[in-house]
Amino acid sequence: QTARQLDTLYQTIDVIAQRIETRRLLALKPGETVLDIGSGPGFLVSDMADDVGKSGQVQGIDISPAMVAMAIARCAAKTSIQLQKAGATALPFKDASFDAVVAVQVFEYVDNLPKALSEILRVLKPGGRVLLIDSDMGSIVLNTAEPARMTRVLNAWNEHLTHPYLPRTLATKLKKAGFALGKYGVIPLLNLKYDPKHFSYTMVKMVAEFVVGRQGVTEVEARAWAEEQVSLAADDVYFYSMNRYYFLGSKPEG
């Protein structure tokens, strides 16, 4: 069910725009090799295969068998793509295998961040680049007439992450791991409509399902929280915003 929900999320206009920005930042060239850590349902690996062309190669890994299967089906026609089940802290690749590595909203779930970063450094070629994109849960803003309930719900939602505020320290972690930090910035997500085409439509449903029984949130409260968002949308005062932060680093030459 989670895999299907994520597949839906990745087809929203917000995440499509994020993929366009991700590809712009990576600036892949024909013939390059790139690794997507946490490749999910395969949208980004499919797009990157177009960027590197038939002379390049795209590897994708994910710890979820359901996600790997979904990505394999989506990318079946593209022979430059290889997908497999693997985790971020034990990359199944030789040293200096890749020109670029990307991980979008993955490191916020990883327990051993130093190990994951050292693995990326290992598999990158000298001068290779790494792009990490993660969300900061403190940046989430929703309109509400019940701020106390909103706080409880969002605190409960934080429990689905290992590092809900990771972007605040990610630049430092990259530098400590041995990377040279290049570009960094914000990818904002803003919805003023509660619409299936937008990210927050499915996200509100996922949050309402997840938070029940966490941080004291009852099923009745979770349902009321979600229903309020629908009501706000009907009154044309719906508001959902969240920031994602990107950090582009490189492996030093030599």
Side-chain angles (χ1 to χ4, degrees), residues 160-236:
H160 85 287
L161 295 170
T162 305
H163 310 284
Y165 311 110
L166 178 59
R168 304 177 194 188
T169 59
L170 194 47
T172 300
K173 287 179 170 61
L174 271 168
K175 289 184 285 187
K176 285 184 176 179
F179 293 96
L181 181 63
K183 294 180 181 179
Y184 53 90
V186 183
I187 301 175
L189 190 156
L190 175 61
N191 294 162
L192 299 183
K193 294 181 179 180
Y194 187 66
D195 184 287
K197 296 179 182 178
H198 294 151
F199 176 86
S200 63
Y201 180 86
T202 299
M203 183 53 62
V204 165
K205 298 177 185 296
M206 292 179 70
V207 171
E209 292 171 3
F210 179 84
V211 299
V212 175
R214 303 174 189 270
Q215 301 287 325
V217 178
T218 66
E219 184 175 354
V220 171
E221 284 183 303
R223 184 167 57 251
W225 173 83
E227 288 173 351
E228 182 191 25
Q229 298 307 306
V230 177
S231 177
L232 290 169
D235 293 337
D236 199 25

Side-chain angles (χ1 to χ4, degrees), residues 21-60:
E21 179 66 1
T22 299
R23 293 166 69 189
R24 186 189 72 81
L25 291 165
L26 278 172
L28 294 168
K29 302 176 182 64
E32 287 195 312
T33 57
V34 57
L35 168 64
D36 185 3
I37 299 175
S39 48
F43 289 100
L44 182 57
V45 291
S46 179
D47 289 344
M48 293 192 300
D50 296 333
D51 296 332
V52 301
K54 292 182 179 179
S55 61
Q57 186 179 59
V58 181
Q59 294 278 356

Side-chain angles (χ1 to χ4, degrees), residues 1-4 40-41 62-73 85:
Q1 180 181 351
T2 300
R4 288 194 298 270
D62 203 287
I63 60 170
S64 165
M67 286 294 189
V68 174
M70 194 175 289
I72 289 173
K85 182 181 181 298

